[in-house]
Every structure is written in C-alpha cells, then in structure tokens.
Amino acid sequence: MSHNTFGHLFRVTTWGESHGPALGCVVDGCPPGIRFSEAGLQHWMDKRKPGQSRFVTQRREEDLVKVLSGVMREDDGTLVTTGTPVSMMIENTDQRSKDYSEIAKRYRPGHADYTYDVKYGVRDYRGGGRSSARETAARVAAGGLARLVLPGVTVRAALVQIGEHKINRDNWDWSEVDNNPFFCPDPETVPVWEEYLDAVRKAGSSVGAVIEVVADNVPAGLGAPIYAKLDQDIASNLMSINAVKGVEIGNGFEAARISGEENADEMRIGDDGKPVFLSNNAGGVLGGISTGQPVVARFAVKPTSSILNERRSIDSDGNEVDVRTKGRHDPCVGIRAVPIGEAMVACTLADHYLRDRGQTGRLD
Amino acid sequence: MSHNTFGHLFRVTTWGESHGPALGCVVDGCPPGIRFSEAGLQHWMDKRKPGQSRFVTQRREEDLVKVLSGVMREDDGTLVTTGTPVSMMIENTDQRSKDYSEIAKRYRPGHADYTYDVKYGVRDYRGGGRSSARETAARVAAGGLARLVLPGVTVRAALVQIGEHKINRDNWDWSEVDNNPFFCPDPETVPVWEEYLDAVRKAGSSVGAVIEVVADNVPAGLGAPIYAKLDQDIASNLMSINAVKGVEIGNGFEAARISGEENADEMRIGDDGKPVFLSNNAGGVLGGISTGQPVVARFAVKPTSSILNERRSIDSDGNEVDVRTKGRHDPCVGIRAVPIGEAMVACTLADHYLRDRGQTGRLD
Amino acid sequence: MSHNTFGHLFRVTTWGESHGPALGCVVDGCPPGIRFSEAGLQHWMDKRKPGQSRFVTQRREEDLVKVLSGVMREDDGTLVTTGTPVSMMIENTDQRSKDYSEIAKRYRPGHADYTYDVKYGVRDYRGGGRSSARETAARVAAGGLARLVLPGVTVRAALVQIGEHKINRDNWDWSEVDNNPFFCPDPETVPVWEEYLDAVRKAGSSVGAVIEVVADNVPAGLGAPIYAKLDQDIASNLMSINAVKGVEIGNGFEAARISGEENADEMRIGDDGKPVFLSNNAGGVLGGISTGQPVVARFAVKPTSSILNERRSIDSDGNEVDVRTKGRHDPCVGIRAVPIGEAMVACTLADHYLRDRGQTGRLD
Amino acid sequence: MSHNTFGHLFRVTTWGESHGPALGCVVDGCPPGIRFSEAGLQHWMDKRKPGQSRFVTQRREEDLVKVLSGVMREDDGTLVTTGTPVSMMIENTDQRSKDYSEIAKRYRPGHADYTYDVKYGVRDYRGGGRSSARETAARVAAGGLARLVLPGVTVRAALVQIGEHKINRDNWDWSEVDNNPFFCPDPETVPVWEEYLDAVRKAGSSVGAVIEVVADNVPAGLGAPIYAKLDQDIASNLMSINAVKGVEIGNGFEAARISGEENADEMRIGDDGKPVFLSNNAGGVLGGISTGQPVVARFAVKPTSSILNERRSIDSDGNEVDVRTKGRHDPCVGIRAVPIGEAMVACTLADHYLRDRGQTGRLD
C-alpha cells in the first residue's frame, strides 16, 4: 500500500533496522476473539530464524516475539485479540559491535546501499539497515496471526530450485519439508543440494533459488478486481521480499508457451455434486478471484549479494573501490525466504478474506 | 490499492464493462500545468485498439477518448491540467447485439465467469463484463497522461516471445517495433511469428506471449521501501492486466540459477565523473529503489481463453456442458498487452515520481 | 481519503467542474445484488436541484443521473449492482455562455479563487470550476446508492437555523420538512425565514445556516477506532462540503458547558430486555462506535460568498480591485446543503457497515 | 485513514492500551535528514503528561519516548531521520494493580465500554483499554516530529473555555499559556477557573472545555480538495481525540449567523507588495486550501465521563447497576487536550506539506 504498510483491512506496518534496538510490526484490523499463544507464533519465527544450519547466516537471534498490545491475556497465558492493533516487537540481540567505517561509504554491489544514499542522502549502513532481511522477521510474526484469521486454510511453501538444480516434482512430499535444512519436498534432491551448496559456501560464492507457496482450502471468491486481484496482491507482496526478482501464479511463464487448449482448466461436476477443476494451470485464480483450487505461487530469489569474492564498486566520495563482504555469510538467502513467502501469502489471503466478507457478506 | 484504483499520489480509478455504454477512468493527483491534446492521447489508444491486423480480435472500436474534467481548453485545443481529477471516457460502439442466453449461464474455461458468479452472485456476462480486456483502454488513456508527468523518461515495450518462439535479442531494434503487427523488435522473427500465428488462428486455437517493458532515463531514487518498492509496484500493476501469470524484473527467474559473482552489477566512475553500472541484471532497481539504469520488466500472458475448440465445463445450474467460443477470435491476446504494459509502467513511475518529490523534496 | 476519494470499502471518487461537459462519480465497493432505479436516485437529486424556489440559485439543471457501469439492467428497467464500480454521470446543461475575462483574474472574497491559483497556478474560473457546489450533485447520487447498502437505516436532515433565526425544537415534525422551501421541520419558523430571506435576497446579501442530520436505526457497533471513528468520519465528510465551517456530534459544543452528570447518557434495560439509553447527548456515538441510538450531527454553513454588494479584493496581476457578483444569486447556500449532508452521512454509514462486517463478521 | 492510521504521506499508526506494557506509534514517510533529540520530543510529552496539577489525573507516568527505528544517532546524541519508519514507544509504568472484576462487566456511562463490547465481543477493560486517553501520548510524540517537517510553522493551542467560563479574548497573551495549569492565555481568567474547577473537583464532578489551535506561517496552498481539504483533515483529526464532540474552523458556527458582507475576508496589497487579508473569518482556509493566514481551529471536549457520583447503567449480563468511578479523577480532561490538539494539527499540516510538494512541486 504505502511505504511500510501492506493490506487493506488486515493491515501490516513494519518498522526497524538490522542493528537498531528492535524491529517489529503493527497488525491493524485483526478480527477480535482470535486465540493464540506466543509459543504458537514462535513456531513460525523459528523456521525463519538464522543460524540453524551451515547453509544460512550464522547470526544468532532468538527472535522472540513480544506482543505489546491488542490482546487480553488469559490465566493460562492464552492471548485473545480484542480488535485493536496488535503491536509485536522482536529485539535485536546479536548485533556484533564492529567498525563500520569502511562499509559506511562503500556501495556493496547488489545491495541497496547506493540507492538509499541517492534517495535519502543518509543511510543506516549497519548490517544493511532497513533493507536487511532482518525486517522479514516482523512479516513472519504477522503471518502467524494471519493464518488464524483463515478458517481451515493451510499455507505451506517449499524450495523447488537452487541454482541450476530443480527438484523432481514427482517426488513431492510435504512431510519431508521439515526434515532437511532446505525446506526441500523431494528427499532425493536433498543430498544434491547439500553437496552443491557446500561447494558454493566454500568458494565464498552464493546462488539463487525458487520457492513455491501453496495455499489449500482457500474459499472460492477471494480477490477484488480490477486492481486488488488476489494474484496481483500475492505477486506484489512476494516481490516486496528482499532479493525477489520474479513471481509466477499457477503455470506462470510456462503459460506463454502453450496453447489455449492445453492451458484451459476444464470443469466437471464432482461426485459430491460440487464443481471440480480437472487441472490447475491457473494456480487457483481466475480473473483475479480464487477458484477454490489450491492457490499456487512461485518466486525467484537472486543469489546473496554479500560474497567473499571481490567485486568492483564505488564509494560515496566517488572513488572506485573493490568490495568483498567479510564476516557472516549466507550462501543462499533463498532458503530462509520459504517461511517469509508463506507469511506474505497468509497475510494476503487474510486481508482478502476480510474484504470479501465486508463487500459481499458471503463469508462467516 | 483498493478494488478499482491503483496509485498513491497519481491515482487511477477505472470503471466500465465490455458491453455497457462506456468505460473510462478518473486520474486523480495529476500535477497542474501539464499540456496535452486528445490527439496525443489517441496515439497511445490506437496502439491498443482492436481490429488492426488479422492476429487480433476483429471488434471495431475507435476508442476515442473524451476528456470530461480536470483541464482548461486553450484556443488551439490544447488541454492544460488544473490539478483536479481528469475524467476520461471511451464509448463502446461495436457491441454486437446478439443472444447472450447461452453464454449467460456457461462458465467458459480460463475465464472469470465462474469466479465472478461465486463471489458476486450476479454477473454481466456480455462480452466478459468487467473482466473483459476492454477495461484496459482506460489504462492506456491514463498511461498517456502519466508519461507527461515524467520529464525525459521514455517507456517502451516489445513482444519477445509467442508460444515457443522467442526473438533473437541480438537483433533488437526499437525502430522495428512499429513496423509489424506484433510489436516485435527483431525483424527476423516477424515472418516466423506470422506463419506460426496464422496456423494457430486457422486451427481456432490460441497461444501465450511474453512482453518486455523498458523505461529509460528513470531518475535514481524512485521507489518507497518496504511495501511500495518500485519493482513491487510494477509487478503488481503488470499482474493486474488480464491473463498475466508471471512478472520478472531484470534477469528475473534467471537470477535463481546464477552465482552472486555473475549477478552483481559492478560499478565504476564514468568519464563524466558519474557512477556507471557495468551490467543491469537488477533491471534498474536495487532494494526497491531505482538505480538510474533502465528499468526492465517482463510479463507472461497466457493463451487467449476463448478458443473455437470445445472444452469441458459446467453451467450455473450445475450441468456439465461443452463450451466453445463463437464469433470474434483473438489468437494471441499478448500482442495487445504491449501498449497496456507500457501504460502500467508509466503510471507506476509517475506515482513514484510524485511520491519521492513529496517525501524527499529532491526532484523538480 | 485522498484528494477526490472518500471511504474505505464503500469508496466514492468524484470528478467534474461547474462548466465542463459533465460531472460525476465512481462508487467502488458497492455490494452486489442491490436493486434500484434511476428514478429512485432522481428522488434525491431533485431535493438538491437548483432553481426550485426563489431562495436558491436560479441555475436550471435537470441533474439527470446516467448510470454507466456496474449494473445489469432488467427488463423492467430495474438496475442490479454487480459488485463492480458504479460510474454515474450528470451532464451540465445550463452553463451560461458569458464573458469570463473579468472573473478570470479577480479573486472573489470568500471563494477559493485565490487559493487555487496559489496552489495550482492555473484554475478553471468558470462558475468556480472544481470548487463549485455543482460537485455535490455527484455526492447525492452516491448517497442514493449508499442508503440501499444500509438495511433499515433512515438518514434525514433538516435546516435548524438561518442567520440568527433558530427553529423551535419542540415543534420538530419530520413530515413538515418537504412542505416548505427550507427543509424546515418547524412550520412556525417557515414564515419567519421566508420574510427574513426575502429581505436578505432583495438586499443582494446572503446569510449562513445550520443543518442537522439524523440517522435512525443505525446498528450498534459501527465505527473503527482510533482514526476512523464513526463521528470522526462523519465530521470529516461533512466538513468536505463547500462552505462548511463547523461540525458537531450530539450535543456538540454544548458539551463543553455542562457537567459530567448532565452529559452522561444513563442506561437501563428496556421492557424488551434490551439496553436503552435515557438520553442521547452522545449523538449515538461513544468511543467512535455507534451505540444503536440515533446518530445526530450538525454542521454550519457560511453565508454565500457571492453577493451583489462590492467587496475589496485583488486580482492575479496584483491590482487592488472591487468585486461584486453579478447574475444568479443564492441568498442562503445552506438550504441546498440539507440533502448533501444526508448523502455524506449515508455514505459514511455504508462504508462503516461494510468495514465492520469485514472485520468482525457480525452483520449480515 | 484506516482504523489506527492517519495521514497520507506523513502517516502515523498508533497502538497500545492503558494497562498493557507499552504504547507507541510508527511514523512512516517522515522526510530524511531531520535532526532532533529525545529531549526535544520530551518537551511536548511533558505538556501532556498526567499528574502535573491537582486539576488533572494523578496517574504518574514519565512518558519517556524511546525511538526504536528510523534514525541514526550521532555522537552527541542527536538523532537524524533516515526516511524509514520511526517507531516510538512509551512504556506504561503506573498501571495500578487492582481488582478489575467489577469494572470488567459494568458499562460506565459516557465511556466506550458498551460499544466496544457490542462491536468486538471482547474488551480490555483495564483503565479503558484502547479507548483510554493514554493513547494520545503517541500522538504527541508524532506531533513532535511533525513540527520539524514544517519549516517556520508554529503550532500553538490554548484553552478558551471551561464549563460556562470563557476567556476574555482581548487579554490573549501566548506567553501566559505556560504560566498556569490550564494553558490559559488570559491571566485574568486563571483564578476564575481555579476556583471553579476546585469546586467541581471537590464535588466529584467534571466539566467540559473548548480548545483553540492556531498555526502561524502556514504557506498558502496546502490542502487537497475535494476530500482531503485542509480544514476537513484538521476537523477529522481533532474529532479523533477522545471526548471531542465538535470542531470549528475560523469563525465556525458563528458564520451561520452573520451576513456574507460581514463574513467575507477582504483583500488588499500590502506594503511589501504581497496580498493581505483584512480579516480571518475563514480561519486560514478557503476552498479547503490554506490562504497563508493563520490556520485557526477550535474543538469542544465533553466533561470527563469518570465521575465520583453514581449514574445508572447496565452490565454485560444485562443487569441494571449503578456506576461511580473510584480512584484517580480528572475534573476536566479538556486541559490535557491542549497539547494533543497541537499535535494533531501539526501532523495534518506536515502531511499536506509533503503531499503538496509531491503533487505540485512548489515547495522546497
């Protein structure tokens, strides 16, 4: 929507930098009467938390969520939303004290250093400041609440490609996703990625990835054409994640290649007397409105820009410099984008659920 | 933004259906003092206008834009914006009178018929109603105005893929784009597409396409992180176009495949003392903010859902039916998406230009 | 909300100037399935229409509303909303052709001439341009739709003060409001105002007024604290009406004068077992949320700025000039503000009705 | 705007309840490069702080503002905004632990207890929860930042009426405002109010008040007609303050009483060659746009609803009960509304300053 807020009825505003005292979000418009616990939120936070394998950054953050407002706390610790804004805060605890004088002026290639300086004339250079992926912790907290707004809906994501290595979709098994450090749904691909990423890591290099998000049991009818189409808002919110360079719905770019006959999702009446689609090229969205099929989105994450190998750049004084990133290194930021993608889709669906209920009165 | 409006300071609200008396838009927030003519707008309208070759729908619409408000008309006919909302209307003139009783109840596969019915319980079934691509005429009119808000910026688009046939990017020549019915920048590909699409057309089939939009001379510093990133808003607005299933910025999905070293756009100081980038994998956007390089976006359009060959579907009474689209037929809707993509990028840039001027006061 | 739009889920965007070809509005977010007729809308338009008595401007406009989109027309002419934007247009027919060269440069005291020129540098000076009360015709059309969104709610307004002459509230009779040219609910005050306004009119002078709007049967629970309180949004929308300088809810400024004991609206359980309030000083809103009592708002309209008597001013060249308004003359613009006030309150309630249904799911 | 956010480019989102751990706000869109200190903000916080005289609530809160994001801290402690969201938090320290079981169910007359329960079905009853005036601390912090966005503009407020006792405007002296516990600009009225409020306080009663806000040096041209008029947005934002029941701009309701000749603010060319107005009935706003004169707004605050004397009410079980407020007592909440009114006007002006700079490019 504007600047640091997204959503229309379920509205999330995030704030905070990588090396400030804390970061957080305000979730405004959350329906009253939703029951949850901080431990329940933490489940999602832990999926995104850094330092959980050798394939992600070694920054150590507990990412404990403090709920500061918008809830009543029952005797057993259960929180109940009151319909007022839910403010959640995550303190930064592992901000290494170091000398930032070098990085303060040098524009790291692929990072937002140069553009923030051009735009704002001043920049929090410590750890990427506002453009750091730390900001996404707040999204995951908001996503944890959003899931509870959606009765029966399940939002899951998995990594489907690292570098040139794609999974074998025939092996897809959701239960495998939490059994490996990649959120990989294909157990046969796990060792391939392990070997590959170890090599990337040792070379001080990095590589990109593709994530697929699937939302099941989404009621038909969500989405507000023309300019808040469900797939448009999903694309928008996924593109807002750091380092994302592409988004697809359903068969996505593949749709450009095939014929209308192949692409059409035919319909029949199922045994239960309800409409069934015979395929899901549309990814669960037609004309911007959900069909009742699974909503399927994919997004591409570029390789981590912080690499140990030198790249040519300039500094803010106009000198030509060479830059290489020292310290903690994240060979594939795409891995940790998996729970973030889930969170963004959950928030989008929650928003449209409330909007549709408002405009049409159809939903409970 | 919400429902039928996009943009924050340069705000476009569209209205209208395929077979109503007219369609149009209200452009709110257009700066005062912009001089233009209806003929100038018509230039862009004519690019999108149907019936211009055998490869697009044969509906005949003049798509004349009437400017109803927000301007003063000078003696020579020049219009000058006054800062108040610019209302533009395009009358529907070629709405074939026909019997809609069959289509009224049948859900055409790939169309929004089913989802509109589920959501709203009532639907203008004539020619697709609100979900018709007729709506995009209003976007092109708004885009014509948006271009004038952006001093020096050029927004151009071209078709780069039809079905399996991609252009040869080495042949790219912008001056060729208007010399063929496909907005194709590669003259060698034109005859290939011609033959291919003729076959598709005669078979009563359809095929998808990929469009690339390039904005040159975009000032560095546009974009409002975190949730109104320039690339996010471009993706959002391109995804709002009918039949679009995927969007990429810069090297897009390709970024997932390559290494951090390859992907990083290195910088040097140019002969003029200004920063230069040595490549543009980022597509002109870093951290959601423009770099000053060309902004590059691509989007995939699915094959036209209206095809002459029968597909299985259901009707609103719950009967299983077979549907085939009679009458005017558009073998590749992606072609006419080229000027629409330009318009959406122009509107996005205009909005961010005004927003940045507001927040930072940097721009004139 | 922004510029020329108000409302969040029931969103109204208006456009048009006094002397352009037309003016109108786009109502976005109107629920589907609402049945109405253009004649039904016209009922409200006719209340606002100029030229209906010697006490208002003699401009002659039929103010016929054309519905251009967002509806299906049934065989008997009934319109049914489809959930897509409803575009309504009113053509300007009585734009007297005259020489505007004098008024083009002179800043009429009390008008927006000077401020529009300072802000925009260009201005449609014909009949006040965008700042003309003609714009309010679009609001009344939108208000006609808004009423249909609100099951059982009645929104009525009356004039309660002209100049120094207030009505006797003990005589209040809603059935009298349409029996006189003032929307006066007190038949004893009508001849007083008649004599008074005739004198004002003959003197070429003008006078202000106070309007009271009452909405009955508003369900308890509407309003979105903290920054979209129901009374806040009503105040905002009433203040957006031309020439309005003050707004009150319930006992308003009188509340500043009295004690907490007097001001508190006590509660009991009624014979039907439901909560009853014993008074309504709050005007039906507590903490920004409706109580279920009648919502009561009042607003003050300044005297018409166009008067026949000369006032000192300047022109856009920096010359000191004397200005008097020739031609059609409106001794009390407050009279025609009555149906406009109703429309603004109806739109505000419709918006909050949909918002509350969205966030809480309470309403049908 | 929506729910708990106001402003369009300078956007303030507040969160927090009276008895939660903290409350705060996120200011999004604040221009980069603004220099301030926490001590500077505290100056404004201290004006609103409770417990400063016997005439306001005896709750003791330091109201220390912690700035959590959006700034770089220089060596001397100066904070510099970076253009990213400024999150500010104020911890609640004097939340008396007490038994809320009685108040939890009883609807206090004049409070939002009943309406929150009807709307949300659940409510933080401790100290009024979200509807407590504690929330306004966050507004004052935001207002402190807003003032720095406005070069040269001064926003001041004063109390002009308590109960039936109005100040003598001829005695108005801004320098007196901070010399008494009432923000009273008329030293002769101070002892009158003192005696009067002491009596009210001892009687366990309460009384209302009227506050006047004046903004000097506001540039001409701010305001975005038609639905974000400067006076409309001021009215909206003042009406969002707890207990406010009426708002006026310029001469306000008085304008309804007088003639067009009296009300018109005539213009001449001043000695400096610039336009001057000879009066300011308009309160600095014509057609929704600032004239360059002082912007003048007044608002009425109802008497504190919490009084020691019993009033009849009901509880959430449907029983008739009598309610009287024990504990800390605030005989005139209007007093502490003075700095809040200043803050809301400052935020409104900052927002319009940025908006105008964005749309017209006029301002620096």
Side-chain angles (χ1 to χ4, degrees), chain A residues 7-65:
Chain A
H8 193 73
L9 277 192
F10 185 90
R11 289 160 67 82
V12 179
T13 301
T14 75
W15 55 271
E17 281 85 26
S18 172
H19 282 57
L23 56 88
C25 64
V26 182
V27 179
D28 193 5
C30 188
I34 290 182
R35 304 170 70 78
F36 68 108
S37 67
E38 276 140 339
L41 285 185
Q42 208 60 38
H43 170 74
W44 307 111
M45 301 302 292
D46 289 348
K47 289 187 70 172
R48 195 211 69 98
K49 207 167 66 174
Q52 303 195 98
S53 81
R54 68 185 183 276
F55 304 112
V56 297
T57 178
Q58 295 308 302
R59 181 168 174 163
R60 298 277 168 189
E61 291 283 359
E62 285 308 309
D63 283 353
L64 292 175
V65 179

Side-chain angles (χ1 to χ4, degrees), chain C residues 261, chain D residues 198-205 308-309 329:
Chain C
E261 287 78 4
Chain D
D198 268 331
V200 168
R201 185 169 58 88
K202 284 168 188 161
S205 183
L308 299 184
N309 305 307
H329 171 243

Side-chain angles (χ1 to χ4, degrees), chain A residues 225-237:
Chain A
I226 300 293
Y227 299 113
K229 287 176 170 167
L230 183 60
D231 41 355
Q232 172 187 7
D233 280 0
I234 288 174
S236 175
N237 288 339

Side-chain angles (χ1 to χ4, degrees), chain B residues 126-209:
Chain B
R126 299 166 304 160
R130 180 70 179 149
S131 70
S132 161
R134 281 272 326 129
E135 185 269 345
T136 60
R139 306 178 186 221
V140 173
L145 260 183
R147 290 171 187 271
L148 304 171
V149 173
L150 298 161
V153 176
T154 309
V155 182
R156 295 180 291 193
L159 207 64
V160 298
Q161 180 183 341
I162 294 184
E164 293 181 341
H165 302 279
K166 299 186 182 183
I167 63 161
N168 178 348
R169 298 182 72 90
D170 293 337
N171 294 337
W172 193 298
D173 181 351
W174 280 113
S175 70
E176 290 291 337
V177 165
D178 290 333
N179 293 340
N180 62 76
F182 307 111
F183 303 108
C184 178
D186 167 16
E188 288 179 17
T189 295
V190 171
V192 179
W193 285 356
E194 218 151 20
E195 186 179 2
Y196 174 63
L197 263 194
D198 267 330
V200 168
R201 185 170 58 88
K202 283 169 188 160
S205 184
S206 67
V207 74

Side-chain angles (χ1 to χ4, degrees), chain A residues 185-208:
Chain A
D186 167 17
E188 289 179 16
T189 296
V190 172
V192 180
W193 286 356
E194 219 151 20
E195 185 178 6
Y196 174 64
L197 262 194
D198 268 331
V200 167
R201 186 169 58 88
K202 284 167 188 162
S205 183
S206 66
V207 73

Side-chain angles (χ1 to χ4, degrees), chain A residues 126-138:
Chain A
R126 301 167 302 161
R130 179 71 179 149
S131 70
S132 162
R134 282 278 314 135
E135 184 269 344
T136 59

